[in-house]
Amino acid sequence: MQFERLTPEYLNAAVALEAQLQMGPVPESQFVKAMHSQQAWMCTEEGVLLGYLVGSSVVDEASILCVGVALNARRRGIAKRLLQMAEAHWAEKDMASIFLEVRASNHAAIAAYEQADYVQVGERPNYYPLPGGGREPAVIMACQLRM
């Protein structure tokens, strides 16, 4: 597996995977902006995109906008490694903290973020769309990079 910054060659594949994985996908424009600001990472294997992480930052706060791993590539540590790459980048840029939002029903992701030292700091009610209609809350999580 290869881990590196998202490149234009894999942009369409990342946007397509995001659309496949999410009911409310992050728009392509955010992928492009993150790619140009060097805040988007990917994992590939034999020329196939397996996962991505897209982020942004303002002043001393970074945000993870989306993370996705292909269904057939899960449980291989891809999301963890992408998260570590983003954290290292933002620590080097002297960011104080990283924020993210995750579906309240995504217990596996919440547990993984907690293992990576993220803590729940709030909730956004009715944030994510549900398949049959309605909405579910987002759990807001944060990680302190420096005090």
Side-chain angles (χ1 to χ4, degrees), residues 19-96:
Q20 177 188 18
L21 297 174
Q22 303 297 331
M23 286 190 59
V26 169
E28 180 177 353
S29 61
Q30 290 291 334
F31 278 80
V32 171
K33 185 176 179 181
M35 185 176 63
H36 288 290
S37 65
Q38 298 188 346
Q39 296 184 93
W41 296 267
M42 66 178 182
C43 172
T44 60
E45 187 172 61
E46 297 179 12
V48 175
L49 180 80
L50 301 180
Y52 58 86
L53 184 148
V54 173
S56 67
S57 60
V58 176
V59 186
D60 67 347
E61 291 183 357
S63 295
I64 295 173
L65 304 177
C66 59
V67 180
V69 176
L71 297 177
N72 64 351
R74 293 197 173 168
R75 310 217 42 91
R76 293 174 61 187
I78 294 170
K80 181 178 181 177
R81 178 79 184 277
L82 291 167
L83 183 63
Q84 290 168 341
M85 291 176 71
E87 290 170 343
H89 169 79
W90 287 321
E92 183 179 295
K93 298 295 182 186
D94 203 28
M95 296 290 123

Side-chain angles (χ1 to χ4, degrees), residues 9 20 29 31 68 73 90 92 96-97 99 104 122 124 129 136 139:
E9 175 186 2
Q20 177 188 18
S29 61
F31 278 80
W90 287 321
E92 183 179 295
S97 53
F99 290 87
R124 294 190 198 282
E136 78 172 293
V139 174

Side-chain angles (χ1 to χ4, degrees), residues 91-109:
E92 183 179 295
K93 298 295 182 186
D94 203 28
M95 296 290 123
S97 53
I98 303 171
F99 290 87
L100 61 88
E101 292 151 350
V102 60
R103 285 180 180 270
S105 63
N106 193 344
H107 303 293

